[in-house]
Amino acid sequence: MDKFNEKEYWNSRYLQGGNSGAGSYGAEAILKSNIINHWINELGIRTITEYGVGDANNLLLYNVPTSYSGYDFSPKAIEICKEKFKNHRNALKYYFGSTVDALDLDADLMLSLDVHYHMPNDEVFNEYCDTIFNKFRGKYIIIYSTDTNNQVLPDGTHLSEHVK
């Protein structure tokens, strides 16, 4: 079996008209935005960077104070983000990119939402964690991720190739 390629999977998903998934829409997106907006206000967050922005649907619900940078390794996702925010009412400073240099490693807050369990390859996962925990120089990190194995059958088989 070939090694799963996260970059190809997500870019293909967006190219085929797919989106970031259930966690970026509806009740779950509202729950996340309520928590994030609480901490933005409580901690005086001014700058935000998001590692794995996807189609940026969640971002529509955040109260971004000054600047936001979003990274995703899908060029199509970044294209969607740029289009979605080109005339956004809160057009302070938005930057989207598909290379890791898009991340503002000095931002007040790093967001990682529903990303950790979408990296079935240990090498990609470890690189991602290294960026968040070793290279990020900001003050705060918010990670939203599953803490269950409900995506795995009793024999260890994953229900979906893009979920670990």
Side-chain angles (χ1 to χ4, degrees):
M1 179 177 163
D2 290 335
K3 190 174 178 180
F4 178 77
N5 187 310
E6 290 87 345
K7 294 178 183 184
E8 287 178 14
Y9 171 84
W10 286 101
N11 203 50
S12 175
R13 181 170 166 151
Y14 292 116
L15 283 168
Q16 294 172 20
N19 62 33
S20 293
S24 296
Y25 294 84
E28 195 170 346
I30 291 168
L31 168 72
K32 287 180 212 171
S33 69
N34 287 338
I35 293 167
I36 290 165
N37 286 332
H38 165 80
W39 289 113
I40 287 172
N41 292 331
E42 182 76 18
L43 300 172
I45 301 296
R46 304 296 303 152
T47 56
I48 300 168
T49 195
E50 186 166 3
Y51 199 177
V53 64
D55 64 15
N57 197 69
N58 284 339
L59 178 55
L60 292 169
L61 304 171
Y62 304 156
N63 297 326
V64 178
T66 304
S67 72
Y68 172 95
S69 69
Y71 164 83
D72 201 283
F73 48 50
S74 165
K76 181 60 180 177
I78 295 305
E79 182 182 310
I80 292 167
C81 293
K82 287 178 178 179
E83 180 64 26
K84 192 177 284 187
F85 283 87
K86 72 179 182 183
N87 296 317
H88 192 259
R89 61 177 160 63
N90 183 9
L92 299 168
K93 177 187 168 198
Y94 290 98
Y95 174 81
F96 299 101
S98 58
T99 59
V100 179
D101 66 349
L103 287 171
D104 176 1
L105 296 174
D106 293 308
D108 296 331
L109 173 64
M110 165 81 77
L111 296 175
S112 171
L113 310 175
D114 296 307
V115 177
H116 279 82
Y117 61 89
H118 282 125
M119 296 186 176
N121 292 324
D122 289 343
E123 183 180 318
V124 175
F125 177 82
N126 291 337
E127 194 175 299
Y128 183 83
C129 288
D130 180 58
T131 299
I132 291 175
F133 299 116
N134 295 323
K135 295 177 182 166
F136 179 63
R137 297 176 295 271
K139 297 177 185 177
Y140 306 102
I141 301 169
I142 294 177
I143 297 172
Y144 182 92
S145 187
T146 184
D147 64 351
T148 69
N149 284 328
N150 65 358
Q151 296 290 319
V152 180
L153 297 173
D155 70 357
T157 303
H158 293 276
L159 294 177
S160 182
E161 67 179 344
H162 70 289
V163 175
K164 181 176 184 178

